[in-house]
Amino acid sequence: MGEISITSEKEAFTNISNNFIKYYMADANGDFVKLYIYLAMLCSTKSQISVSDIADHLSCTENDICRGIRYWIKADVLSLSYNTDKEVTGILLKDLKKMDVELSDLKIVDSKLSLGSDEEKAKSSKKASNYEEEEIQDDDEAQKKAPKKKQPTPDNLKVFQKDPEIANLISEATAYCNRDLGPKELNSLIYIKDQLGFSFDLCEYLLEYCAAVKKTSFSYIEKVARDWYEKDITNREDAEEYSARYITLYGRILKSLGIKERLSPTPVEKQIIDKWKDEYGFSTEIIIEACNTAILKKPNNATLNYVNGILNNWHEKGVKSFSDIVSEKEEYKKTMRDTTPIKSQSDDSSKKKKGNRLKDLEKYYLEKVEA
């Protein structure tokens, strides 16, 4: 996709709408809020930019940017414009009105927007407000769950083993895991390929990735496959993007804390780190700064739980940037100074006199001994 223009319904849209802050911002993902603010800046400067450039600037993937655009279109904050060839050429920042219903009362499921896709081209003649609304579901109900693994019968197992793709995957798995597969491992591989519906290419990348992080047990491989299935990762490209965004973060955090013997976190550690990124909306840089702060405060015992305590505290205090961190640290130092007892001059004088009396007494006894 080429460059697209950013325009506004208002002739001089240089500030963030108060209605955006009051009615839209609080319920949006932090990355989506960053996207809107960046688009507003581009609009004020009449800039043209590509989706990939936006993704690079915000340290996100292009899919993340598309999801953000789709989210704001559904919230009636943005709309798209098209050329005569039905290709997306611009993003319009709409004049936001006061909402009759608070966004917190709505449950919106993020979905992917394929800019310039056939589906979008077919709808290009319609205004954004006329887009068909997708069914609003509860987040828990909308969560895709991996099916339970069914054990193949001996006859089914023979049929699967005659499948050329299964045979090739067994060969790939044997090479990546550096061992022959047992019956349980073979069942896991068939589960991933048959029940989860992974393509050969995605299965191959799954094995490649697990070997790269030195986790070749099939219990781990199966957990990763379930995770990808539930996140609707259906091809190698999406899996690579997901790995680049999250696994790189996991590795940096472990490395920052001096954990060098493994490249990926445990499931519990992963859940904690995901909370920092997804729920709190902290950037990678802020998370690494928390790790560095933990190292400085506890050089020999900087655990992930300690970092979690720091980030929980920053989240409660509304920390969003490095300047907020500096302010928080200065406030902490000031509080420590104000609460530290100040020694009075009388206390110092009393200690000095007591010390002199001890010296005099020691001198007296030494003279007595010498005499």
Side-chain angles (χ1 to χ4, degrees), residues 290-331:
C291 293
N292 294 336
T293 301
I295 292 291
L296 290 174
K297 290 185 176 182
K298 289 194 171 184
N300 300 319
N301 190 29
T303 63
L304 197 72
N305 283 334
Y306 190 74
V307 177
N308 188 46
I310 293 173
L311 288 171
N312 284 340
N313 182 51
W314 287 358
H315 175 66
E316 290 173 359
K317 295 185 176 180
V319 170
K320 297 294 182 184
S321 64
F322 278 99
S323 59
D324 293 336
I325 294 174
V326 173
S327 300
E328 194 275 334
K329 288 182 177 180
E330 290 298 325
E331 182 65 26

Side-chain angles (χ1 to χ4, degrees), residues 10 26 29 37 50 73 100-101 107 121 145 158 160-161 171 179 185 196 200 222 247 255 268 278 281 300 302 311 356:
K10 285 191 174 181
N29 178 289
I37 294 172
S50 67
I73 287 175
D100 294 327
V101 181
K107 289 182 172 58
K121 291 174 185 177
K145 296 295 184 184
K158 290 179 181 179
F160 283 127
Q161 287 179 300
S171 177
R179 66 179 183 276
E185 295 173 322
L196 298 186
F200 177 84
E222 193 175 308
I247 304 307
K255 185 177 180 181
V268 174
D278 300 332
N300 300 319
L311 288 171
N356 289 338

